[in-house]
Amino acid sequence: MLLRTAQWMGLHRDGERFKLPPLECEIRRRLWYQIIGCDARVGEDHALSTNGFGGFSNTKLPLNIDDRDISPNMEVAPTSKPQWTEMTMFLVAAEMNQAIQQVSRLSVTVLNGDDKMTSLEQLLRTTTTRIKDRYLQHCDPNIPIQKSALLLGQVLIGKLSIFVRQQYLRGLSAEESASRATEQTLLLACDTIEIGNELKTDELLGNFHWLFSTFTQYHLLTYTLWHLCVRPRVHYADRAWQVVDKSFNLVEDPSWPSPGPKWNVLRKLREKALNIRCSFSIPFTSARIPNSLTVADTTGPRGDDLRGDAIPSSILGFGDDMDWNLDSICFPDWNP
């Protein structure tokens, strides 16, 4: 309803086309990108794909300026500053949201596999370079809000990278997907989750914990747990379990907002991954078994019976009715 009202008001069209004053153009841009950002998050909260507006909107991004740089009496708009401003954090989120929606659109195009992946990888490189050069390099990690923007940008870049890497698995069988699940992708997911956890725990960012407590990286946790299910003997499994365990402890802290019923999906997948690990007699070393889980007795094949790192197809199906589809379109990350 809000989005349709914004369209009815013409916010999806840039104010310059209507010869509006610079201040009004800027207000419209900020409002539009706030609305479509909220729309994307609501869609992801309900596991719906949000591909954005693409060519249906020509509203420019807001300027990277401070509020004092623009006034009602201005006839010529100011230029964006190559430095930290009051809008930098907003623009990091807005531009990354645009990029993630572009990945969603490209992933369902009719391009052949090689052309599609070339386009996606180019988009990833271009976006990463632009975000770092325009915004992140100007963030001072000693200033709370600037450190928040820096870490948020790193989380969103990691999220985008995982989305692109997942496109290599589209259309593959369960066995093929498992065999192509790389340790580099698992490490990237773990690194990104840890940065997200830092946003919630860093003492310097204490005034922002209320905001980042709702930024649970569902998709990255899902990928990590899926990887631990299909490749339980991966070299970095212990580190991955530490990351998962810490994330669960944070999310399930009674003083934090409830993650809602969708968190049960992650609970079930974590229990599945833990049972698979134990069925292969893989001991925990640096990572501990989560106290909240009860390890069920399993009758699956033992670790000595396996050939290679990936587990047999009989277990890849997980033996339940849950559709463990890790496609970023079918099971998107539920956060901006």
Side-chain angles (χ1 to χ4, degrees), residues 158-159 161-162 165 182-196 217 219-225 227 239-240 243 247:
K159 170 182 173 179
S161 300
I162 295 292
R165 287 169 179 258
T182 66
E183 290 189 0
Q184 290 81 1
T185 304
L186 177 63
L187 283 175
L188 177 59
C190 290
D191 288 342
T192 306
I193 293 171
E194 286 184 328
I195 296 172
Q217 296 299 328
H219 179 265
L220 296 178
L221 282 170
T222 302
Y223 176 83
T224 301
L225 287 167
H227 198 116
R239 185 198 169 193
V243 171
S247 298

Side-chain angles (χ1 to χ4, degrees), residues 72-92:
N73 299 324
M74 280 188 170
E75 296 183 359
V76 179
T79 57
S80 289
K81 295 180 176 180
Q83 64 186 56
W84 169 268
T85 73
E86 296 168 343
M87 285 297 295
T88 298
M89 187 169 179
F90 178 89
L91 287 167
V92 168

Side-chain angles (χ1 to χ4, degrees), residues 36 41 59 83 110 129 194 216 221 231 263 281 291-292 319:
I36 62 173
R41 182 163 187 180
T59 301
Q83 64 186 56
V110 295
T129 300
E194 286 184 328
T216 305
L221 282 170
R231 302 183 74 90
W263 186 248
S281 300
N291 295 328
S292 59

Side-chain angles (χ1 to χ4, degrees), residues 44-267:
E44 291 183 346
D45 274 343
H46 293 82
L48 300 174
S49 175
T50 54
N51 295 332
F53 282 79
F56 297 103
S57 172
N58 60 11
T59 301
K60 298 178 181 179
L61 283 164
L63 298 171
N64 188 35
I65 58 176
D66 295 307
D67 288 347
R68 64 175 177 271
D69 297 324
I70 193 168
S71 67
N73 299 324
M74 280 188 170
E75 296 183 359
V76 179
T79 57
S80 289
K81 295 180 176 180
Q83 64 186 56
W84 169 268
T85 73
E86 296 168 343
M87 285 297 295
T88 298
M89 187 169 179
F90 178 89
L91 287 167
V92 168
E95 288 210 36
M96 289 305 303
N97 184 50
Q98 276 191 323
I100 290 172
Q101 291 175 348
Q102 284 181 276
V103 170
S104 296
R105 290 194 295 270
L106 278 172
S107 65
V108 295
T109 60
V110 295
L111 295 175
N112 65 51
D114 291 340
D115 290 343
K116 181 182 296 185
M117 291 312 305
T118 298
S119 298
L120 287 170
E121 289 169 355
Q122 179 61 41
L123 172 62
L124 174 61
R125 288 192 296 269
T126 301
T127 301
T128 300
T129 300
R130 184 174 67 250
I131 294 298
K132 289 181 177 180
D133 291 347
R134 283 188 183 179
Y135 309 118
L136 301 189
Q137 69 166 332
H138 303 300
C139 296
D140 185 344
N142 297 309
I143 300 175
I145 191 170
Q146 295 189 30
K147 184 173 184 179
S148 296
L150 176 62
L151 295 180
L152 179 61
Q154 292 172 350
V155 167
L156 294 176
I157 289 173
K159 170 182 173 179
L160 183 65
S161 300
I162 295 292
F163 274 13
V164 171
R165 287 169 179 258
Q166 280 187 268
Q167 301 313 307
Y168 284 103
L169 307 182
R170 285 178 65 88
L172 300 180
S173 66
E175 292 88 344
E176 290 175 319
S177 295
S179 66
R180 297 191 185 187
T182 66
E183 290 189 0
Q184 290 81 1
T185 304
L186 177 63
L187 283 175
L188 177 59
C190 290
D191 288 342
T192 306
I193 293 171
E194 286 184 328
I195 296 172
N197 289 340
E198 186 177 354
L199 283 167
K200 305 173 186 179
T201 58
D202 192 317
E203 292 184 2
L204 183 65
L205 310 182
N207 290 336
F208 300 96
H209 288 171
W210 65 271
L211 173 63
F212 294 118
S213 65
T214 64
F215 282 24
T216 305
Q217 296 299 328
Y218 290 94
H219 179 265
L220 296 178
L221 282 170
T222 302
Y223 176 83
T224 301
L225 287 167
W226 171 82
H227 198 116
L228 291 171
C229 284
V230 300
R231 302 183 74 90
R233 299 187 298 178
V234 68
H235 182 66
Y236 298 103
D238 283 339
R239 185 198 169 193
W241 274 109
Q242 287 180 319
V243 171
V244 168
D245 199 17
K246 181 175 181 179
S247 298
F248 269 71
N249 288 339
L250 286 173
V251 173
E252 296 180 347
D253 187 326
S255 65
W256 287 55
S258 171
K262 56 183 175 288
W263 186 248
N264 292 330
V265 177
L266 273 296
R267 282 177 172 270

